[in-house]
Amino acid sequence: MPKTTTGDRPELKPVNFGAAAIDIGSKMHMATVNSACTDMPVRTSGTFTQDLHDLADSFKACGVTSVAMESTGIYWIPAYRSWNSAGSRSF
């Protein structure tokens, strides 16, 4: 039986320490990175070009090599272009 941490849910172990996840919306994005690299692993970002560049810089500072995105509509396209040009792979 797997080790449990709260209730009857099993403990989850990281698979890719260089991964980030982002929920892309029309008015804001919610992103998370490995909690070992920063005091605030979850952050909110705006959707303007400078916001995307700032988020890409924070990903780079945390050693992010891949970004998992969740999006509806076409809002993912500028983010995808920004992070891929900064060197991260987006999925």
Side-chain angles (χ1 to χ4, degrees), residues 47-91:
T47 59
F48 292 103
T49 303
Q50 187 58 50
D51 299 324
L52 298 176
H53 291 305
D54 292 344
L55 196 54
D57 291 342
S58 72
F59 285 168
K60 199 175 248 187
C62 282
V64 170
T65 56
S66 59
V67 180
M69 298 187 299
E70 188 284 323
S71 178
T72 56
I74 61 170
Y75 305 113
W76 62 272
I77 296 171
Y80 177 86
R81 289 180 178 161
S82 175
W83 299 318
N84 281 342
S85 67
S88 294
R89 292 177 41 204
S90 301
F91 299 98

Side-chain angles (χ1 to χ4, degrees), residues 8-10 17 29 33 35 40 50 54 64 72 75:
D8 59 351
R9 290 179 272 164
F17 290 97
H29 303 327
V33 295
S35 60
M40 290 185 56
Q50 187 58 50
D54 292 344
V64 170
T72 56
Y75 305 113

